Amino acid sequence: GSMDFKAENQAEGIDIIGQFGVGFYSAFMVASRVTVTSRAFGEEEAFQWESRGAEGYTITPAEKAEAGTKVTLVLKEDTTGENGAEGENYSRFLEEYTLSDIVKKYSDYVRYPIRMERTKSRQKPKPEDAGEDYTPEYESYTEVETVNSMVPLWRRDKKDVTAEEYNEFYKQKFMDYTDPARVITTRTEGTATYNALLFVPGRAPYDYYTREYEKGLQLYASGVLIMEKCADLLPDHFSFIKGIVDSQDLSLNISREMLQKDSQLRLIRTSLEKKIKSELSAMKNNEREKYEEFFKHFGRQLKFGCYEGYGAHSELLKDLLLFYSAKEKKMVTLEEYTAAMPEEQKYIYYASGDSADRLAKLPAAELVLDKGYDLLLLTEDVDEFCLQILRKYGEKDKEKEFKNVSGGDLGLESEEEKKAAEAESEAAKPLFEAMEKALEGKVKAVRLSTRLKSHPVCLSSEGPLSIEMEKVLSAMPNPDGPAPKSEKVLEVNGSHPVFEVLKAANEAGDADKLNRYASLLYNQALLIEGLPIEDPVAYAQAVCELMK
């Protein structure tokens, strides 16, 4: 009948959604009997509808002095659970607080006033003959008040709402004690009609990076709450967003299963994702300090978003990322890094580890910085995985590949320098073979380094798995056995005095000395990379032997 009524009165713009019929039959979940007494406007006669919810209903004439409708619920008896289980407490729906809480939660934004008789307390007037030791007395009284706010904040024009009102709404609605970092409002009509009021939190919730955290936006249909946390409205990379979506296109009795298949919901999600990206970009460009503070809390999630799904969202998110610049001594975007690159620079260089200070002092970082090139210092475990999935960054014709300073050819030598290094490396081949044998398979190879300047030795890696990625994977629980290992290469600086000592020991046939030096240098390289030494006691003894 509702659809027929709407069809007949379409010209008048009548919207009955959110009024009497919504959820009416849910009354029988708590009531043993429901009585509806109604008198139509302009009619003298009233009627009473009554049902126990199971065996039909009765309609009889009734007495009612004024036009309108009165619904009376006779609550079910409280029950006791069996075997220690908790019973049903129906009488709580007679409690004033419970009723007002239900109204505020589910019907706060219904456009009609919901009035309720509230019990309040006030101080009695002080008697004229009261002495100095008079103790104030209080009395209870009842007062009818409107318990719902009716006009949602998100439906008001943005210029009519102050920042303080938005902040207060956010803190009360989402139980946060800090102001949001940014307020996002959007209204869309057409293929998907909805109003949205979203907030970027000022800090990460204590459980944000745990399994217990539950993402989602509050979903309303024509002002009526139908889902407390609708996860399908937010992609995982924007799961930190809090807020409300109110759509006129969704049915009030839609189920969670139907929502997941609803095309309107998918349209809303896509639209919200674009809007959130746009607002975060605006904050990054116009309020950099505030954005960097936001990135401290949620940047990790954006990086995870780039990595998950084999980089499906990397195009959307890559310009929101920040990394610490060794040259600039501050956080920079990938766009800012590439814009400042000298024309001859071939790669976007980065070093990965647990401390920016330590990374800036890495032997492999020295040559890059001395060339005048910048170096991104990656200090979070997800950072390198993120850049590996991005692979390149820049305009289509000028894309630059990401290059770990501890892996592969850095492209910093001229052709003449390469040829000279190859010749020197060939001459030292017997030495390196002897060192490889001494290290007993701990490294894939020992080579002459083209990336070292003042340091005698360093570790580099070959293949897709870097040394830092190996450390991250080793720290994770792995039920399938040991984590994969990187293919390590021990690089020796050909211009360092240590190299001459190694050559001399090899030429003299002093295998014992060469073995000790090879082990010592390998352990030094492990320490530089932040990797554990297999036998610290033996290493300490070897150092002491050299001091004698």
Side-chain angles (χ1 to χ4, degrees):
S2 299
M3 297 306 296
D4 294 338
F5 178 82
K6 285 188 73 175
E8 292 170 10
N9 297 274
Q10 203 166 16
E12 299 175 33
I14 293 175
D15 180 13
I16 64 168
I17 299 299
Q19 298 181 43
F20 173 75
V22 177
F24 171 70
Y25 289 103
S26 66
F28 290 105
M29 293 173 68
V30 297
S32 60
R33 186 173 80 250
V34 177
T35 303
V36 181
T37 306
S38 189
R39 176 180 164 184
F41 182 76
E43 297 289 336
E44 295 295 324
E45 193 175 8
F47 291 90
Q48 179 175 290
W49 178 98
E50 190 170 86
S51 175
R52 292 184 176 273
E55 299 176 357
Y57 57 87
T58 61
I59 298 178
T60 56
E63 295 291 329
K64 196 171 189 305
E66 299 173 344
T69 299
K70 178 181 179 181
V71 182
T72 305
L73 277 65
V74 178
L75 293 179
K76 295 177 181 178
E77 296 288 335
D78 290 347
T79 62
T80 304
E82 296 180 4
N83 300 323
E86 191 176 342
E88 293 288 352
N89 180 16
Y90 296 108
S91 59
R92 65 192 172 94
F93 295 109
L94 296 173
E95 296 169 2
E96 186 179 309
Y97 172 79
T98 301
L99 289 173
S100 63
D101 189 52
I102 289 171
V103 171
K104 287 293 290 181
K105 184 173 181 179
Y106 293 101
S107 301
D108 199 28
Y109 306 113
V110 171
R111 293 169 297 163
Y112 306 94
I114 301 174
R115 297 190 180 95
M116 181 177 173
E117 197 172 71
R118 304 299 302 270
T119 302
K120 299 184 178 183
S121 179
R122 64 188 171 196
Q123 188 175 331
K124 289 183 178 180
K126 184 177 179 180
E128 293 181 5
D129 59 347
E132 291 184 3
D133 58 346
Y134 171 75
T135 302
E137 295 181 2
Y138 294 85
E139 63 178 356
S140 295
Y141 70 101
T142 57
E143 182 179 86
V144 175
E145 67 174 32
T146 301
V147 291
N148 64 324
S149 58
M150 291 185 288
V151 181
L153 194 70
W154 58 85
R155 287 195 181 174
R156 290 165 57 184
D157 199 309
K158 190 175 181 180
K159 67 178 185 296
D160 297 329
V161 185
T162 65
E164 289 73 23
E165 286 179 303
Y166 279 132
N167 292 346
E168 198 57 35
F169 176 86
Y170 166 75
K171 286 189 280 191
Q172 288 183 3
K173 195 75 173 172
F174 301 103
M175 293 176 285
D176 197 350
Y177 59 85
T178 57
D179 291 340
R182 195 171 186 86
V183 179
I184 303 171
T185 59
T186 179
R187 298 181 184 186
T188 305
E189 293 182 1
T191 52
T193 302
Y194 69 90
N195 287 36
L197 176 57
L198 309 178
F199 301 91
V200 179
R203 62 180 183 87
Y206 73 93
D207 62 343
Y208 182 64
Y209 290 106
T210 69
R211 289 183 179 180
E212 284 70 37
Y213 181 79
E214 189 180 354
K215 71 168 183 173
L217 302 176
Q218 290 188 354
L219 181 60
Y220 287 77
S222 300
V224 178
L225 179 67
I226 60 173
M227 192 175 290
E228 183 70 34
K229 285 191 177 181
C230 183
D232 295 315
L233 282 171
L234 281 177
D236 283 345
H237 45 270
F238 291 149
S239 60
F240 49 83
I241 295 289
K242 308 261 186 196
I244 286 160
V245 173
D246 187 2
S247 174
Q248 290 77 50
D249 294 337
L250 297 174
S251 170
L252 278 163
N253 61 354
I254 195 165
S255 67
R256 187 181 292 269
E257 290 74 22
M258 290 168 66
L259 264 175
Q260 289 172 344
K261 300 173 185 174
D262 193 277
S263 59
Q264 292 295 321
L265 201 72
R266 289 195 294 272
L267 287 170
I268 294 171
R269 174 192 167 109
T270 302
S271 177
L272 289 178
E273 185 179 39
K274 290 177 182 176
K275 180 66 175 176
I276 294 167
K277 160 70 186 299
S278 171
E279 290 287 335
L280 290 177
S281 295
M283 182 160 65
K284 178 195 69 179
N285 297 333
N286 305 322
E287 300 174 275
R288 185 56 174 263
E289 192 174 328
K290 186 182 281 190
Y291 185 79
E292 289 187 16
E293 183 62 30
F294 150 79
F295 199 81
K296 283 180 188 176
H297 294 281
F298 302 109
R300 185 183 182 87
Q301 189 64 22
L302 298 181
K303 293 169 189 174
F304 273 124
C306 278
Y307 179 69
E308 70 176 353
Y310 301 99
H313 309 290
S314 57
E315 274 302 309
L316 177 83
L317 299 172
K318 64 183 181 181
D319 288 319
L320 295 176
L321 303 179
L322 296 178
F323 298 99
Y324 190 80
S325 159
K327 193 175 180 181
E328 299 291 333
K329 300 288 190 289
K330 64 178 183 180
M331 301 295 281
V332 298
T333 65
L334 295 175
E335 184 181 11
E336 289 165 346
Y337 179 99
T338 51
M341 281 172 61
E343 203 168 313
E344 72 277 6
Q345 186 176 336
K346 296 178 182 179
Y347 301 108
I348 299 172
Y349 295 105
Y350 70 87
S352 187
D354 53 14
S355 160
D357 288 339
R358 189 181 71 80
L359 290 174
K361 296 171 186 173
L362 279 177
E366 187 179 18
L367 185 62
V368 173
L369 294 173
D370 281 358
K371 281 275 186 181
Y373 300 160
D374 200 357
L375 180 65
L376 298 177
L377 307 180
L378 313 185
T379 55
E380 289 193 313
D381 52 14
V382 70
D383 285 347
E384 190 168 3
F385 291 91
C386 176
L387 294 192
Q388 289 261 5
I389 208 75
L390 286 175
R391 288 186 59 251
K392 296 180 180 180
Y393 182 85
E395 297 174 20
K396 250 189 176 178
D397 300 332
K398 300 178 182 178
E399 281 186 317
K400 299 289 185 181
E401 188 180 335
F402 293 102
K403 178 68 74 173
N404 189 332
V405 293
S406 296
D409 181 12
L410 297 183
L412 297 174
E413 314 85 28
S414 64
E415 286 301 316
E416 292 75 16
E417 288 171 330
K418 278 185 180 180
K419 286 178 182 177
E422 285 172 9
E424 192 173 359
S425 184
E426 187 63 31
K429 192 174 180 181
L431 167 64
F432 295 149
E433 287 175 350
M435 290 178 71
E436 285 174 27
K437 185 179 179 182
L439 293 174
E440 300 175 327
K442 292 174 183 174
V443 295
K444 183 183 178 183
V446 179
R447 290 180 190 155
L448 196 69
S449 180
T450 57
R451 75 184 81 233
L452 291 173
K453 284 198 71 178
S454 60
H455 293 78
V457 71
C458 76
L459 278 179
S460 63
S461 62
E462 287 188 351
L465 193 67
S466 72
I467 294 170
E468 189 60 30
M469 290 169 80
E470 176 193 319
K471 287 195 280 184
V472 173
L473 294 173
S474 297
M476 294 179 178
N478 194 344
D480 299 324
K485 300 285 185 182
S486 60
E487 295 182 341
K488 299 179 186 67
V489 174
L490 182 67
E491 297 194 10
V492 183
N493 187 351
S495 60
H496 196 278
V498 162
F499 183 61
E500 297 301 324
V501 173
L502 290 170
K503 281 203 300 183
N506 189 53
E507 288 167 3
D510 193 343
D512 183 58
K513 186 175 186 180
L514 185 64
N515 290 352
R516 282 189 290 113
Y517 284 3
S519 177
L520 196 66
L521 289 171
Y522 171 69
N523 283 326
Q524 283 183 346
L526 287 175
L527 287 173
I528 291 169
E529 288 295 331
L531 292 168
I533 296 174
E534 289 180 14
D535 191 346
V537 174
Y539 175 73
Q541 288 174 344
V543 172
C544 290
E545 284 295 321
L546 287 175
M547 296 173 68
K548 287 181 180 179

